[in-house]
Amino acid sequence: MVVARITVWKFKSGQREAAIGVLEEAKKQARKIDGYSGHLFLLPSEEPDTEIVVSLWENEEVYQASMQSLLQEVSQNLDKYIVSPPDVMKYTVFSAEVEAVKPELVKPA
């Protein structure tokens, strides 16, 4: 059973770009975890101080372990940029299909 974590980060005004660097580092760490299955970073157009991260984990055990280590560490590293702790929601993935996204099509906000 694949588990998805949706984490909604609310940043202090104008701090999203600085915080993205911290999240990019966290992505590198996540790739080293056995059972990490991928992610999406979403930047809402209407909310310039918000970022949504969807991360996928092979099973409940890996998901829980990542909550204890990676998410706690990321939250501490983002502390100076965020207005409050992130909203975190857990889902069981029923179905997923993602085509490869060409890097040149992804433009930073």
Side-chain angles (χ1 to χ4, degrees):
M1 163 185 73
V2 175
V3 179
R5 176 172 49 243
I6 298 179
T7 309
V8 180
W9 298 96
K10 301 280 186 176
F11 303 113
K12 295 174 184 172
S13 181
Q15 295 297 304
R16 182 169 76 180
E17 293 305 314
I20 285 174
V22 174
L23 290 168
E24 286 291 327
E25 283 301 312
K27 175 178 66 175
K28 291 175 188 175
Q29 290 177 320
R31 285 183 173 149
K32 296 175 186 175
I33 298 172
D34 286 336
Y36 169 76
S37 298
H39 73 278
L40 291 170
F41 284 2
L42 307 172
L43 303 175
S45 301
E46 294 80 28
E47 298 180 44
D49 297 320
T50 300
E51 181 168 0
I52 300 166
V53 178
V54 180
S55 58
L56 301 172
W57 306 92
E58 283 184 8
N59 57 49
E60 180 70 24
E61 292 76 25
V62 176
Y63 170 86
Q64 290 298 333
S66 72
M67 286 288 292
Q68 297 302 315
S69 60
L70 186 60
L71 188 61
Q72 283 185 349
E73 181 180 334
V74 171
S75 293
Q76 290 172 352
N77 292 339
L78 286 175
D79 194 47
K80 63 184 173 185
Y81 303 114
I82 60 177
V83 295
S84 62
D87 291 327
V88 179
M89 295 152 282
K90 180 177 87 170
Y91 295 89
T92 299
V93 177
F94 172 71
S95 175
E97 182 176 341
V98 178
E99 297 292 328
V101 178
K102 297 177 183 175
E104 64 271 13
L105 297 178
V106 179
K107 303 280 189 234

